[in-house]
Amino acid sequence: MKLLLLLAGACVIMDQLSKAIALAWLSPGDPVSVVPGFNLTLGFNEGASFGMLSGVMSGRPLLMAALTGALTLVFAIMALRTKSPLESAGLAMIVGGATGNLIDRLRQGAVTDFLDLYWQDWHWPAFNGADIAITAGALCILYAAIPTRRQKETKVD
């Protein structure tokens, strides 16, 4: 349980520190080119991940925070109950990332995004460190669910 808290906490700290730096150094609508295909671009998301539901949730930060908080609690309970260390780590990363975004919603009514991947004129929706933690956590869970991995973990127990 301590390792899960440390992992989730590390995700929250990494996310909040990177967002604080972005808020201090970047201006909305003024992208900073890092390398071709990657900019730092400050933006704010009132919706779910990658801007989904932003129209529906616009002006309703407490509703979005409540939904995020409820889902975070569900994932935290799942992390404590699973027997798979990889699933547990993945769920802890999701909890940490979701908590980082929840802090933004409660503090400023929207999530701070600043990472911008693009190809020519096509831009992926801006994202942040919390979104990276959530995505990495989901990939850990998917990898742990591969049948051959599942069988090996069961045999070890």
Side-chain angles (χ1 to χ4, degrees):
M1 183 160 141
K2 284 183 185 179
L3 288 175
L4 294 179
L5 287 172
L6 284 173
L7 182 56
C11 290
V12 172
I13 290 167
M14 176 268 315
D15 173 63
Q16 290 297 299
L17 283 175
S18 64
K19 287 174 181 172
I21 292 167
L23 287 167
W25 292 356
L26 301 173
S27 299
D30 189 16
V32 176
S33 181
V34 178
V35 295
F38 177 61
N39 291 332
L40 298 176
T41 305
L42 185 62
F44 301 94
N45 176 11
E46 293 182 355
S49 295
F50 304 115
M52 293 184 292
L53 302 177
S54 59
V56 176
M57 291 300 175
S58 181
R60 298 182 175 130
L62 292 180
L63 176 59
M64 196 64 202
L67 291 171
T68 302
L71 285 171
T72 302
L73 182 60
V74 168
F75 284 119
I77 292 167
M78 290 170 62
L80 294 172
R81 290 187 174 179
T82 185
K83 302 282 189 245
S84 165
L86 189 56
E87 276 182 47
S88 200
L91 288 161
M93 285 189 275
I94 291 171
V95 168
T99 300
N101 282 342
L102 180 59
I103 291 168
D104 281 11
R105 290 186 194 290
L106 293 173
R107 187 182 69 232
Q108 63 195 22
V111 172
T112 301
D113 288 325
F114 59 93
L115 302 172
D116 175 29
L117 294 176
Y118 67 92
W119 172 253
Q120 296 176 354
D121 290 334
W122 179 85
H123 289 256
W124 183 260
F127 59 99
N128 57 48
D131 297 329
I132 293 170
I134 291 167
T135 302
L139 290 172
C140 287
I141 293 166
L142 288 172
Y143 185 70
I146 295 172
T148 54
R149 281 206 37 82
R150 252 298 179 230
Q151 291 168 358
K152 287 178 184 175
E153 272 190 18
T154 306
K155 289 178 184 175
V156 171
D157 289 340

